[in-house]
Amino acid sequence: MNPQNKKIVWSLIQKKGDFLKGKLKPHPHHPMGRNPYAHICSLIKDKFNCSYKDVPNDSVDKLKRFILEI
């Protein structure tokens, strides 16, 4: 993924993470609360089998839609 797309995608992750703050279910492994940004990155990794940074440029639109649907 090119640097411009990385910035755009990270911005989307931050906006969605801000939205999810305090809304994720509690988990015993996270006594201080869950990290919504890490949660989104984990979902991306599960869906695309790679980090958001490693998603090919031709799949960026699909990644953006996925983030918005979380």
Side-chain angles (χ1 to χ4, degrees):
M1 179 182 304
N2 66 40
Q4 182 181 359
N5 282 338
K6 281 184 191 176
K7 287 180 183 179
I8 292 169
V9 169
W10 180 246
S11 176
L12 289 173
I13 291 171
Q14 287 178 314
K15 287 178 188 175
K16 185 58 78 166
D18 290 344
F19 175 76
L20 290 176
K21 270 187 184 173
K23 295 181 181 177
L24 296 174
K25 292 181 182 178
H27 192 277
H29 291 129
H30 304 283
M32 301 292 287
R34 294 176 62 189
N35 181 336
Y37 311 101
H39 178 70
I40 294 166
C41 290
S42 175
L43 293 174
I44 291 170
K45 196 166 200 163
D46 289 345
K47 171 84 173 172
F48 292 89
N49 296 316
C50 62
S51 167
Y52 80 92
K53 297 176 187 177
D54 298 326
V55 173
N57 281 319
D58 59 342
S59 297
V60 169
D61 287 335
K62 185 178 177 182
L63 175 57
K64 289 178 187 177
R65 281 191 305 274
F66 178 74
I67 293 169
L68 293 174
E69 292 174 0
I70 293 174

